[in-house]
Amino acid sequence: MDTFHELRNTKLGPALVKALEARHFEAYYFADLPPAAEKVFSLIPQEHVVSWGGSMTAGAMDLYAEAAKRGYKLINRDAAKSPEEKVELMRQGLLCDTYLMGTNALSEDGQLVNVDGNGNRVAALCYGPRQVIIVTGINKAAKTLDDAIARARNWAAPLNVQRFAANKTPCNISGTCGDCKSAESICAQVVITRLCKPAGRIKVIIIGQDLGF
Ligand code: SF4
């Protein structure tokens, strides 16, 4: 990352933290991944059962393997041996203690925007787990709420869908959102988290890097 990006991030990151705190999120900014990962684990009591929704950023931080290494009890849908078991583990994940996830976008006034197909990730964000820890690159920041929604729908979703070769939605064919009503759509839910309630339940860790989509 060049000096000008780094310089901008040292200004924008703390401003995003303030905007999130004004909406009752707990929020932190780190320039680099290793201290951000340490912060994540400092927020998780050892007795917590940990689960997660798919996140490129959490993957880049190696959070899942590290959680296993640190001895947390995990609900790991990726270890499922059948689609049925995977669904069951996703259901169980909704009542874990700590849920790890990313966000598709974050407006400069501190609102989160997430698009989801099955809805398990946004369900956990809204209610269920005792706490949710969001890890996000600063590239997810958008100027306004409308910009954040546009980012999630027009940028993140058509990129995310590329991970599923069998998915035949318009974005996976053309590379751009066709505002589809397909049963395969990964955009069934568009969730705006306007406030964190109860206060502090959602922790947002912003990293001054380009991470994920
Ligand atoms: S085409 Fe459908 S699945 Fe693809 S990004 Fe648009 S709404 Fe989502």
Side-chain angles (χ1 to χ4, degrees), residues 153 157-158 161 169-172 176-181 184-187:
R153 296 211 54 197
V161 83
T169 49
C171 53
N172 215 1
T176 187
C177 177
D179 196 26
C180 76
K181 297 183 183 68
E184 288 187 294
S185 177
I186 64 163
C187 307

Side-chain angles (χ1 to χ4, degrees), residues 125-181:
L125 175 63
C126 293
Y127 194 83
R130 293 186 203 285
Q131 67 170 356
V132 176
I133 301 179
I134 290 179
V135 287
T136 179
I138 201 163
N139 53 311
K140 304 291 182 73
K143 184 74 190 162
T144 66
L145 178 60
D146 283 347
D147 292 337
I149 294 168
R151 186 191 194 285
R153 296 211 54 197
N154 300 327
W155 179 259
L159 275 167
N160 265 322
V161 83
Q162 305 304 317
R163 296 182 294 153
F164 311 113
N167 181 295
K168 299 295 177 225
T169 49
C171 53
N172 215 1
I173 294 162
S174 69
T176 187
C177 177
D179 196 26
C180 76
K181 297 183 183 68

Side-chain angles (χ1 to χ4, degrees), residues 26-28 30 33-44 133 205:
E26 232 180 88
Y28 305 91
F30 295 93
L33 287 171
E38 266 321 307
K39 184 68 194 176
V40 168
F41 288 109
S42 78
L43 294 170
I44 311 177
I133 301 179
I205 296 182

